[in-house]
Amino acid sequence: MNHAHSQSLFARAQARIPGGVNSPVRAFRGVGGDPVFFREGSGAWLTDVDGNRYVDLVGSWGPLILGHAYPPIVEAIIDAARRGSSFGAPHAGEVEFAEFICGTMPAVEMVRLVSSGTEATVAAIRVARGFTGREHILKFEGCFHGAGDPFLVKAGSGVETLGLPDSPGVPAALAKLTLTAPYNDLAAVERIFAEKGQDIACAIIEPVVGNMGVLVPKPGYLQGLQALCQKHGVLLVLDEVMTGFRLARGGAQEVYGLKPDLTTMAKVIGGGMPLGAYGGRADIMRKVAPAGPVYQSGTLSGNPVAVAAGLACLKALAAPGTYARLEQVSRMLEEGFIAEAKAAGVPVTVNRVGSMLTVFFTAEPVFDYTSAKTSDTGRFGRFFHAMLDAGVYLPPSQYEAAFVSLAIGEAEVAHVLGAARKAFRSLGQTG
Ligand code: KE4
């Protein structure tokens, strides 16, 4: 494939934008080579600035569950923009949107809209601290909750000790308030709660992890975490930025029968426009200003154009058979990847929940950070580029989830699996 225009744009971008990208994962550092610049998306397909076409299995990291330029969403954006892009004042759409979210997720009794997943998770932590009067939080290794200071923390010397900054600029004094436990390990949570439970405001978790590649909760794990939180007065914050309205209309909390105290959302709920949300128990959410003392604000929060796009997206997802179709196509891809890797003699582990899946280049089962790290990232990089050259756009990192959209049909599945056959076989020969 010719990438001349992408390469010239990337050279210009690096002169004025850190790393040439507006978000680090886009820079292909996890797979090598230079990022591709895109010109347009339509349905399941992306076209880059050199005219190369790809089946898109990233979907802007989750939001584009209906595919690119889904006509009802485009029309909703145009219609809203024609009536003004922002008021900085209440409008009817945000009331309808809040009622839709709360009507779909029973645990979300009240909701506040923001403009990104990071805003939602940072706000949820502040509300949990404000509501409980406690300062520590618990997160889980491999889970990512956006670029907020409380989350840019790596596990201390023992994974269950005080956090250490995982980025310059995060104060050590703040990082040590973040405790970390391995995902899928209830005993670790019990030990932490026994020692520090009374100091912990909340436990925040990706119910199905997408940011380590896909990690699937072991049977009973999430329900056990919820019970431990209730026992110790620790609020449970489900970060459904990726899973919300993707795994089911009611998100992971519907799939796993959970009733979290707070839920964070973004991605799908914005239909590709900047929109995030946090919500949950009314007694907790009434602590949020101006109803209560916990301050949080945003100039473009509940923006009418973003809300119009989000409503159009969520209404389309309410159509009968939506999630059955997503499951059917995602299973075809999962089974095809497994079969093609096996035929080529390449050991892989494929983790999938609904329309989120990851092909890990390891023969080991992958259920937490440590086991995910047994993956051969060099091999993943070679697989990624072989797929890219064959017209399939995978997430440019072994430790990210691929997302299946409703725009992907049998023809696109055949295209992806045909590319995978060649890519696995090339690995089988070259390693
Ligand atoms: P945003 O601030 O990027 O809208 O959302 C942060 C966030 C919060 N919680 C979860 C579970 C998330 O996955 C994310 C963001 N996900 C990444 C993908 N790994 C977005 C892509 C990027 O960082 O550019």
Side-chain angles (χ1 to χ4, degrees):
M1 279 184 170
N2 169 28
H3 292 294
H5 285 93
S6 277
Q7 286 157 355
S8 66
L9 280 168
F10 190 48
R12 286 169 52 196
Q14 290 180 94
R16 296 296 184 198
I17 305 169
V21 292
N22 283 306
S23 199
V25 73
R26 303 176 187 173
F28 278 25
R29 297 289 176 93
V31 292
D34 294 340
V36 172
F37 282 62
F38 290 106
R39 184 178 69 214
E40 68 175 291
S42 176
W45 293 84
L46 279 168
T47 303
D48 71 17
V49 292
D50 292 287
N52 304 305
R53 299 183 73 237
Y54 311 83
V55 171
D56 182 15
L57 290 178
V58 180
S60 185
W61 302 98
L64 302 181
I65 193 168
L66 292 161
H68 291 273
Y70 183 69
I73 293 178
V74 174
E75 284 145 31
I77 290 169
I78 292 167
D79 176 60
R82 281 210 175 99
R83 290 184 277 110
S85 62
S86 179
F87 308 124
H91 63 95
E94 57 198 334
V95 181
E96 186 185 355
F97 194 91
E99 290 171 344
F100 192 103
I101 296 283
C102 296
T104 309
M105 301 180 102
V108 181
E109 296 171 341
M110 295 188 84
V111 65
R112 167 62 62 84
L113 303 185
V114 292
S115 299
S116 72
T118 296
E119 276 189 88
T121 55
V122 166
I125 295 301
R126 185 179 309 136
V127 173
R129 284 171 162 157
F131 181 78
T132 61
R134 299 176 180 185
E135 292 192 347
H136 285 78
I137 67 169
L138 174 65
K139 75 177 290 291
F140 296 84
E141 266 193 303
C143 288
F144 178 71
H145 305 291
D149 282 356
F151 312 118
L152 298 181
V153 169
K154 61 179 173 242
S157 50
V159 288
E160 302 160 9
T161 58
L162 305 185
L164 300 171
D166 202 13
S167 164
V170 175
L174 179 64
K176 71 182 182 183
L177 294 176
T178 300
L179 305 173
T180 307
Y183 183 78
N184 264 330
D185 180 346
L186 272 184
V189 178
E190 283 178 309
R191 287 193 296 273
I192 288 176
F193 281 6
E195 184 188 340
K196 300 184 76 69
Q198 70 284 353
D199 301 331
I200 298 173
C202 67
I204 183 168
I205 192 166
E206 291 183 63
V208 171
V209 182
N211 287 287
M212 200 57 226
V214 174
L215 302 181
V216 184
K218 289 180 179 174
Y221 172 67
L222 296 173
Q223 296 82 353
L225 174 64
Q226 180 171 271
L228 283 171
C229 286
Q230 287 166 347
K231 179 182 174 185
H232 292 271
V234 175
L235 298 183
L236 177 61
V237 181
L238 275 198
D239 181 355
E240 294 227 43
V241 164
M242 269 191 184
T243 56
F245 289 89
R246 173 168 284 279
L247 297 188
R249 283 195 68 220
Q253 53 199 269
E254 176 185 308
V255 174
Y256 295 100
L258 300 168
K259 194 169 172 52
D261 299 294
L262 291 171
T263 299
T264 55
M265 289 166 270
K267 295 186 192 281
V268 168
I269 69 167
M273 294 295 284
L275 183 56
Y278 66 98
R281 282 170 36 193
D283 60 326
I284 298 174
M285 291 303 290
R286 287 202 177 95
K287 288 285 185 184
V288 179
V294 179
Y295 200 72
Q296 182 271 314
S297 64
T299 299
L300 294 177
S301 296
N303 171 270
V305 179
V307 163
L311 268 175
C313 181
L314 297 185
K315 286 176 179 174
L317 290 173
T322 294
Y323 293 96
R325 175 62 178 166
L326 271 175
E327 177 63 26
Q328 178 190 28
V329 174
S330 303
R331 184 183 298 120
M332 287 161 68
L333 287 170
E334 173 193 21
E335 291 172 352
F337 282 136
I338 292 169
E340 295 302 345
K342 186 176 180 182
V346 176
V348 298
T349 290
V350 179
N351 283 358
R352 177 179 74 85
V353 178
S355 54
M356 294 170 60
L357 74 155
T358 299
V359 178
F360 289 98
F361 281 74
T362 178
E364 304 300 319
V366 176
F367 54 88
D368 63 5
Y369 176 88
T370 303
S371 50
K373 284 291 188 179
T374 65
S375 303
D376 181 336
T377 55
R379 216 170 202 200
F380 175 82
R382 292 188 291 279
F383 179 73
F384 172 86
H385 281 287
M387 294 291 274
L388 190 72
D389 292 344
V392 178
Y393 192 63
L394 287 170
S397 166
Q398 171 68 95
Y399 303 121
E400 292 286 353
F403 295 98
V404 182
S405 80
L406 282 157
I408 291 178
E410 280 71 6
E412 287 75 22
V413 169
H415 174 85
V416 170
L417 296 183
R421 176 174 305 127
K422 291 179 192 152
F424 281 123
R425 288 184 182 178
S426 71
L427 288 180
Q429 281 115 37
T430 58

